Amino acid sequence: ELLFRTMWDTALLEKKLGRPSGALALFSDLAGGRNPFRAAALEELAKHYEHGERNYEMALEMTRAALKLEDSTALRHRETRLMKRIEKPRPRRLL
């Protein structure tokens, strides 16, 4: 259990220090196996895919995986918002 807590704390530190690749690797490791931080790691991955990469499909997948583990209002809200974004095509920007 101490290992998972250390990984979680390190991932948050990497994120705070502006090193997303280190944070993503740790969040992915935590999301991949059974541990107390799995749902939270999936939520962090969903945030990354939504805001960082604008990959709404992947963000929705991560959100739904987190919801299977732990239901919360914030995750439900994220799921609804992502579904709307996926359904509604974004307007093209003209040069």
Side-chain angles (χ1 to χ4, degrees), residues 36-72:
F37 299 95
R38 188 175 185 190
L42 286 163
E43 185 174 6
E44 287 295 325
L45 289 171
K47 289 177 187 178
H48 167 75
Y49 286 117
E50 180 180 0
H51 303 294
E53 293 188 17
R54 302 217 186 277
N55 183 340
Y56 303 124
E57 290 83 7
M58 184 63 83
L60 182 59
E61 184 179 324
M62 295 295 139
T63 300
R64 287 181 171 161
L67 277 167
K68 287 180 184 178
L69 298 170
E70 186 177 291
D71 196 3
S72 76

Side-chain angles (χ1 to χ4, degrees), residues 1 4 29-39 69:
E1 196 168 311
F4 298 125
D29 286 346
L30 286 166
R34 293 178 75 158
N35 65 77
F37 299 95
R38 188 175 185 190
L69 298 170

Side-chain angles (χ1 to χ4, degrees), residues 10-33:
T10 304
L12 292 178
L13 185 60
E14 290 286 327
K15 180 180 173 184
K16 186 175 185 173
L17 292 173
R19 298 191 290 233
S21 61
L24 287 175
L26 288 163
F27 288 138
S28 294
D29 286 346
L30 286 166

